Amino acid sequence: MIPVVGRSRRAELEMTEHGLKSLLSLLSDDPERAGELYLHIQQKLIRYFGWNLCPNPEELADEVLDRVARRVSEGESIQSPVSYVLGVARRVLLEAKPKALFLPLEGDVEVVPQPTDEETLTRLDQCLEELAPESRAVLLEYYSAEAAERIRVRQGMADRMGLSMNALRNRCLRLRRNLEECMESRRTQDSRKADDES
Amino acid sequence: MNPDQLRSYLLGRLPPGDREEIETRAFEDDTFDSQLQEAEADLLDDWARGQLVPADADRVQERFPPAKLDVALHLNRRHLNGKIGKPSPSSQKSRVLWWLATAAAALLILAPAIYFWPHSRPVATPQSSQARPAPARVEIAIVALRTPSTRGTAIPLFAVARSATVVRLTVPAIQGYSQYEFRLESAVRGQIARQRMTLNGDVLSVEFDASLIADGDYDSSIFATTGDVSDLLATYSFRVEKK
């Protein structure tokens, strides 16, 4: 399985199929597992660039993977793929920061009318409705606790559900990420609709 | 690693060495990576509940994208409004009464605001026991600095809402100085603002009255000041259109 989701168009053009296969085979001999690891590392990279305030974390993540794929296909020997990827990511981050300083901003920075709270709440409700009822309930309960109670509430949930804390945490993080992506997608749709109507 | 350090990382307050340590560990240790993601979610939830000190709340708003802030804000509002799970029949009546009371209170509070501040637009703020209407503010995040030697490149254009009362400019920080001064000049009116900037981690920011700027071209300069001495660090030009 060659993962094709989550790659920007530019990155697809730049990373050859050979390069991608080389990278996947570096991650694992099992193609399915290699695909999972690829997406897993891609998500880590997106978070890394996001936490370093890069405005285009997905593109930079693809840039990193493109460079690593190229090196692998050129025959470079890589002992630890994850460490190697991080090293390339650091370099890309250093390069990206001065570039970001000179990005043309015309049209990129725009003040859009803030949606009302009610609109955003409706959007959230719509996104929550897309979750299975059990997942929705788990998500809302997991993030309901006040700071002082969080560990107790979450441990209680894990015990009740027969999950480790880590497994429950990962499940809820995945659900929350889905929610954030849904919100962003609806926000973009609403914004386009508003542009078309104006 | 304790939760405070993770929070400091997310708020951009750790020195480079500590940042790299956390980033390396997040890459190599999936359990730690998920702990860091959870620390982010908890930070956003604390922000949404108004439980952060103002400096931290400001940094959260600067550093996290709107989708994450929206989810945190409204997920917590649903919780705080008792919307978890299906409402039981007995709570329906109390919900109606709650809405009526809220609507009445809102009318009493907002009526003078609507009368006296026709150009203000309240923005979403995290719930807080000390919540007060915030002035309508617009942030122009300027990420490009242009030195005098590169004049002549395309001028960035920013749209500013006419309803904005405050403009906040942010630029990537230029480290190594104790005080920074921002000067803004209009092509037509000359100098219109001269203010100290605030350095917060990797961002320098300044706020000024939105009424100072109208449609037109502006030149901004950032100086490092030591006593009476000012060193020019960077200049930046942009065009504004009010919409």
Side-chain angles (χ1 to χ4, degrees):
Chain A
M1 180 190 88
I2 297 176
V4 292
V5 294
R7 292 191 54 78
S8 67
R9 178 74 186 131
R10 183 194 65 81
E12 280 173 4
L13 291 172
E14 289 187 7
M15 186 188 288
T16 63
E17 184 154 339
H18 173 64
L20 183 54
K21 281 183 177 165
S22 302
L23 175 56
L24 290 174
S25 65
L26 175 71
L27 296 175
S28 174
D29 295 330
D30 174 4
E32 185 108 5
R33 177 72 184 140
E36 286 170 5
L37 286 172
Y38 179 97
L39 293 173
H40 185 62
I41 290 175
Q42 187 188 49
Q43 287 299 314
K44 283 186 188 267
L45 286 167
I46 291 171
R47 283 192 295 277
Y48 171 78
F49 289 116
W51 284 328
N52 279 286
L53 301 187
C54 299
N56 51 343
E58 291 85 2
E59 276 186 36
L60 294 176
D62 285 344
E63 173 71 28
V64 170
L65 293 168
D66 176 41
R67 290 189 191 189
V68 173
R70 212 177 311 133
R71 305 261 168 81
V72 173
S73 68
E74 287 167 1
E76 185 158 334
S77 166
I78 296 171
Q79 300 299 322
S80 167
V82 171
S83 301
Y84 189 88
V85 166
L86 178 58
V88 174
R90 287 207 167 107
R91 169 160 281 275
V92 168
L93 179 65
L94 280 175
E95 293 168 7
K97 280 199 165 167
K99 254 192 217 168
L101 294 181
F102 294 102
L103 273 178
L105 290 173
E106 184 166 340
D108 283 356
V109 177
E110 191 176 293
V111 173
V112 293
Q114 293 291 327
T116 63
D117 283 357
E118 204 50 47
E119 284 169 358
T120 312
L121 201 53
T122 302
R123 213 178 273 152
L124 179 73
D125 282 343
Q126 288 168 347
C127 289
L128 282 168
E129 283 299 311
E130 290 178 14
L131 298 175
E134 197 227 333
S135 295
R136 187 164 60 240
V138 165
L139 174 71
L140 292 175
E141 186 183 352
Y142 191 85
Y143 291 111
S144 67
E146 296 289 335
E149 292 287 300
R150 272 176 190 144
I151 294 177
R152 186 186 64 77
V153 166
R154 291 168 181 178
Q155 185 64 64
M157 283 180 71
D159 292 342
R160 209 169 66 226
M161 296 167 68
L163 295 172
S164 67
M165 278 289 284
N166 198 45
L168 177 61
R169 180 191 306 127
N170 288 339
R171 184 177 172 191
C172 293
L173 286 171
R174 218 168 19 246
L175 290 170
R176 188 164 179 144
R177 193 163 53 238
N178 290 345
L179 208 59
E180 288 164 0
E181 285 168 5
C182 176
M183 290 287 283
E184 183 57 33
S185 164
R186 285 182 183 270
R187 184 188 173 97
T188 308
Q189 276 172 19
D190 291 347
S191 164
R192 277 203 201 114
K193 211 186 289 180
D195 283 346
D196 291 340
E197 285 167 3
S198 66
Chain B
M1 200 151 292
N2 67 57
D4 287 342
Q5 273 187 297
L6 299 185
R7 187 161 281 202
S8 294
Y9 169 77
L10 294 165
L11 291 171
R13 291 216 171 99
L14 288 186
D18 290 354
R19 283 188 73 79
E20 284 187 15
E21 191 187 325
I22 286 180
E23 286 161 356
T24 301
R25 199 168 157 196
F27 256 80
E28 294 175 350
D29 179 346
D30 287 349
T31 301
F32 180 78
D33 188 22
S34 69
Q35 285 171 350
L36 184 53
Q37 291 176 68
E38 180 150 278
E40 178 192 69
D42 290 343
L43 173 63
L44 289 165
D45 289 342
D46 287 345
W47 166 79
R49 294 176 190 199
Q51 289 169 357
L52 297 183
V53 298
D56 287 357
D58 282 350
R59 286 190 81 86
V60 166
Q61 287 189 256
E62 283 164 15
R63 296 177 72 85
F64 290 94
K68 286 187 185 274
L69 296 176
D70 280 346
V71 164
L73 193 60
H74 294 282
L75 211 50
N76 283 279
R77 282 194 176 173
R78 290 181 96 259
H79 163 66
L80 292 167
N81 289 346
K83 284 189 179 182
I84 290 182
K86 284 188 177 175
S88 62
S90 61
S91 72
Q92 298 273 7
K93 188 179 171 185
S94 59
R95 244 181 5 132
V96 170
L97 289 174
W98 186 88
W99 274 110
L100 282 174
T102 306
L107 198 59
L108 280 172
I109 290 166
L110 288 176
I114 290 167
Y115 183 79
F116 286 112
W117 294 301
H119 300 298
S120 290
R121 187 162 54 87
V123 296
T125 55
Q127 287 212 9
S128 160
S129 58
Q130 296 167 347
R132 51 186 168 82
R137 55 169 58 203
V138 157
E139 177 164 334
I140 303 178
I142 299 183
V143 298
L145 290 178
R146 204 174 69 192
T147 63
S149 62
T150 59
R151 279 192 196 287
T153 58
I155 297 178
L157 170 69
F158 301 105
V160 177
R162 290 188 189 281
S163 59
T165 55
V166 174
V167 170
R168 187 173 190 218
L169 271 150
T170 64
V171 298
I174 306 162
Q175 303 284 358
Y177 303 95
S178 56
Q179 285 188 19
Y180 300 84
E181 186 178 88
F182 174 81
R183 297 179 197 173
L184 184 66
E185 287 186 13
S186 147
V188 171
R189 290 177 284 151
Q191 184 168 297
I192 57 173
R194 183 173 172 170
Q195 282 170 234
R196 188 171 294 183
M197 299 188 87
T198 304
L199 177 63
N200 255 328
D202 47 12
V203 168
L204 271 170
S205 64
V206 65
E207 292 188 352
F208 53 87
D209 193 329
S211 66
L212 290 175
I213 57 170
D215 292 2
D217 291 342
Y218 295 85
D219 287 317
S220 61
S221 309
I222 297 169
F223 290 84
T225 57
T226 311
D228 293 332
V229 178
S230 296
D231 292 319
L232 176 65
L233 298 178
T235 62
Y236 186 78
S237 300
F238 56 92
R239 179 170 295 167
V240 168
E241 271 184 20
K242 284 211 163 177
K243 294 188 174 179

